[in-house]
Short mmCIF file of all heavy atoms in Angstrom, two decimals:
data_model
loop_
_atom_site.label_atom_id
_atom_site.label_comp_id
_atom_site.label_asym_id
_atom_site.label_seq_id
_atom_site.Cartn_x
_atom_site.Cartn_y
_atom_site.Cartn_z
N ILE A 46 -4.30 7.38 -10.10
CA ILE A 46 -3.27 8.36 -10.51
C ILE A 46 -3.86 9.74 -10.65
O ILE A 46 -3.29 10.73 -10.17
CB ILE A 46 -2.59 7.90 -11.81
CG1 ILE A 46 -1.71 6.65 -11.53
CG2 ILE A 46 -1.75 9.02 -12.42
CD1 ILE A 46 -1.22 5.97 -12.79
N GLU A 47 -5.00 9.85 -11.29
CA GLU A 47 -5.67 11.15 -11.43
C GLU A 47 -5.97 11.80 -10.09
O GLU A 47 -5.80 13.01 -9.92
CB GLU A 47 -6.96 11.02 -12.24
CG GLU A 47 -6.77 10.76 -13.70
CD GLU A 47 -8.07 10.52 -14.44
OE1 GLU A 47 -9.06 10.08 -13.81
OE2 GLU A 47 -8.10 10.74 -15.65
N ALA A 48 -6.37 11.01 -9.14
CA ALA A 48 -6.77 11.52 -7.83
C ALA A 48 -5.61 11.83 -6.92
O ALA A 48 -5.69 12.75 -6.11
CB ALA A 48 -7.70 10.51 -7.14
N ALA A 49 -4.50 11.11 -7.08
CA ALA A 49 -3.44 11.20 -6.08
C ALA A 49 -2.16 11.83 -6.56
O ALA A 49 -1.47 12.45 -5.77
CB ALA A 49 -3.14 9.81 -5.53
N ALA A 50 -1.82 11.66 -7.82
CA ALA A 50 -0.49 12.10 -8.28
C ALA A 50 -0.50 13.57 -8.65
O ALA A 50 -1.40 14.05 -9.30
CB ALA A 50 -0.06 11.25 -9.48
N LYS A 51 0.53 14.25 -8.22
CA LYS A 51 0.73 15.65 -8.56
C LYS A 51 1.89 15.85 -9.52
O LYS A 51 2.00 16.89 -10.14
CB LYS A 51 0.99 16.47 -7.28
CG LYS A 51 -0.06 16.33 -6.22
CD LYS A 51 -1.37 17.00 -6.60
CE LYS A 51 -2.33 17.02 -5.45
NZ LYS A 51 -3.45 16.11 -5.59
N THR A 52 2.76 14.86 -9.63
CA THR A 52 3.93 14.96 -10.50
C THR A 52 4.08 13.64 -11.29
O THR A 52 3.52 12.63 -10.90
CB THR A 52 5.23 15.17 -9.68
OG1 THR A 52 5.45 13.97 -8.91
CG2 THR A 52 5.13 16.39 -8.76
N PRO A 53 4.84 13.71 -12.39
CA PRO A 53 5.11 12.45 -13.12
C PRO A 53 5.79 11.40 -12.22
O PRO A 53 5.51 10.20 -12.36
CB PRO A 53 6.06 12.90 -14.24
CG PRO A 53 5.75 14.33 -14.43
CD PRO A 53 5.39 14.86 -13.07
N GLU A 54 6.62 11.86 -11.32
CA GLU A 54 7.32 10.93 -10.42
C GLU A 54 6.33 10.23 -9.50
O GLU A 54 6.45 9.02 -9.25
CB GLU A 54 8.39 11.64 -9.61
CG GLU A 54 9.55 12.14 -10.42
CD GLU A 54 9.31 13.44 -11.19
OE1 GLU A 54 8.27 14.10 -10.95
OE2 GLU A 54 10.12 13.76 -12.05
N GLU A 55 5.35 10.95 -8.98
CA GLU A 55 4.31 10.35 -8.15
C GLU A 55 3.49 9.36 -8.96
O GLU A 55 3.11 8.29 -8.46
CB GLU A 55 3.42 11.39 -7.53
CG GLU A 55 4.09 12.20 -6.43
CD GLU A 55 3.19 13.29 -5.87
OE1 GLU A 55 2.05 13.49 -6.35
OE2 GLU A 55 3.62 13.97 -4.92
N SER A 56 3.18 9.70 -10.21
CA SER A 56 2.44 8.79 -11.09
C SER A 56 3.21 7.47 -11.27
O SER A 56 2.64 6.38 -11.16
CB SER A 56 2.22 9.42 -12.43
OG SER A 56 1.44 10.57 -12.36
N ALA A 57 4.48 7.60 -11.54
CA ALA A 57 5.32 6.39 -11.73
C ALA A 57 5.37 5.55 -10.46
O ALA A 57 5.30 4.33 -10.52
CB ALA A 57 6.72 6.81 -12.16
N GLN A 58 5.45 6.20 -9.30
CA GLN A 58 5.52 5.44 -8.05
C GLN A 58 4.22 4.70 -7.79
O GLN A 58 4.25 3.56 -7.31
CB GLN A 58 5.86 6.37 -6.88
CG GLN A 58 6.20 5.61 -5.62
CD GLN A 58 7.40 4.71 -5.80
OE1 GLN A 58 8.46 5.13 -6.25
NE2 GLN A 58 7.23 3.42 -5.47
N ILE A 59 3.08 5.31 -8.10
CA ILE A 59 1.81 4.64 -7.91
C ILE A 59 1.75 3.37 -8.77
O ILE A 59 1.35 2.32 -8.32
CB ILE A 59 0.64 5.58 -8.27
CG1 ILE A 59 0.50 6.66 -7.18
CG2 ILE A 59 -0.68 4.81 -8.44
CD1 ILE A 59 -0.42 7.79 -7.55
N VAL A 60 2.22 3.46 -10.02
CA VAL A 60 2.24 2.29 -10.89
C VAL A 60 3.18 1.24 -10.34
O VAL A 60 2.82 0.06 -10.27
CB VAL A 60 2.66 2.69 -12.33
CG1 VAL A 60 2.88 1.47 -13.21
CG2 VAL A 60 1.62 3.62 -12.95
N ARG A 61 4.35 1.64 -9.90
CA ARG A 61 5.31 0.66 -9.34
C ARG A 61 4.75 -0.01 -8.10
O ARG A 61 4.90 -1.21 -7.90
CB ARG A 61 6.62 1.34 -9.02
CG ARG A 61 7.39 1.71 -10.27
CD ARG A 61 8.73 2.33 -9.96
NE ARG A 61 9.39 2.70 -11.18
CZ ARG A 61 9.54 3.95 -11.62
NH1 ARG A 61 9.14 4.96 -10.88
NH2 ARG A 61 10.14 4.18 -12.80
N ASP A 62 4.06 0.75 -7.25
CA ASP A 62 3.48 0.19 -6.04
C ASP A 62 2.33 -0.78 -6.34
O ASP A 62 2.06 -1.68 -5.53
CB ASP A 62 2.96 1.29 -5.12
CG ASP A 62 4.09 2.13 -4.53
OD1 ASP A 62 5.27 1.72 -4.59
OD2 ASP A 62 3.77 3.22 -3.98
#
Side-chain angles (χ1 to χ4, degrees):
I46 290 169
E47 287 175 335
K51 304 290 188 253
T52 67
E54 292 80 11
E55 288 178 356
S56 298
Q58 191 60 52
I59 289 169
V60 172
R61 288 183 182 108
D62 291 346

